[in-house]
């Protein structure tokens, strides 16, 4: 059975995806693609394929991937990142505080 919509596909099986610079990656477990989507390494229009599909489809057309696509998830907060956070591409990462400066007493 082949599917053009990807609606009935589960996550099992070997998946392939088109990554940065148009390179094909795979086979991988669907969990790898979901992780890449959550991290913003792939987006809703990234192409994915598995056996059963007639051709490459955008990730947002596959039900198993929809819930983890960063650009489809509405933000839970409109609060701006704090000063100890930086925006790194589509992902905000915590920046550790520098260690405290220790001033030692000179030797007598």
């Amino acid at each position: 059975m082949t599917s053009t919509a990807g609606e009935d596909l589960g996550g099992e099986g070997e998946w392939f995806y088109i990554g940065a610079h148009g390179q094909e990656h795979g086979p991988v477990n669907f969990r790898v693609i979901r992780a890449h989507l959550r991290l913003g390494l792939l987006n809703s229009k990234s192409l994915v394929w598995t056996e059963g599909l007639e051709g490459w489809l955008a990730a947002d057309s596959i039900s198993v991937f929809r819930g983890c696509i960063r650009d489809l998830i509405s933000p839970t907060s409109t609060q701006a990142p704090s000063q100890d956070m930086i925006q790194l591409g589509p992902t905000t990462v915590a920046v550790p505080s520098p260690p405290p400066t220790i001033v030692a007493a000179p030797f007598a």
Side-chain angles (χ1 to χ4, degrees):
M1 175 181 94
T2 57
S3 171
T4 55
E7 287 298 324
D8 300 326
L9 292 172
E12 301 308 316
E14 296 179 330
W15 286 85
F16 297 81
Y17 66 94
I18 304 296
H21 310 294
Q23 295 178 327
E24 183 179 317
H25 298 274
V28 298
N29 184 284
F30 79 101
R31 289 176 183 89
V32 172
I33 295 175
R34 287 173 60 114
H36 286 351
L37 289 164
R38 283 189 189 107
L39 293 170
L41 300 173
L42 296 175
N43 63 47
S44 62
K45 299 305 174 199
S46 294
L47 297 176
V48 297
W49 180 85
T50 191
E51 188 174 334
L53 292 178
E54 289 183 9
W56 293 90
L57 293 177
D60 64 357
S61 66
I62 309 291
S63 59
V64 73
F65 299 131
R66 268 194 215 112
C68 56
I69 296 175
R70 288 186 61 85
D71 53 84
L72 294 182
I73 298 173
S74 60
T76 58
S77 172
T78 57
Q79 188 177 29
S82 63
Q83 290 182 349
D84 60 343
M85 303 288 281
I86 63 168
Q87 187 72 27
L88 190 62
T91 306
T92 301
V93 210
V95 178
S97 301
T101 304
I102 301 174
V103 180
F107 291 104

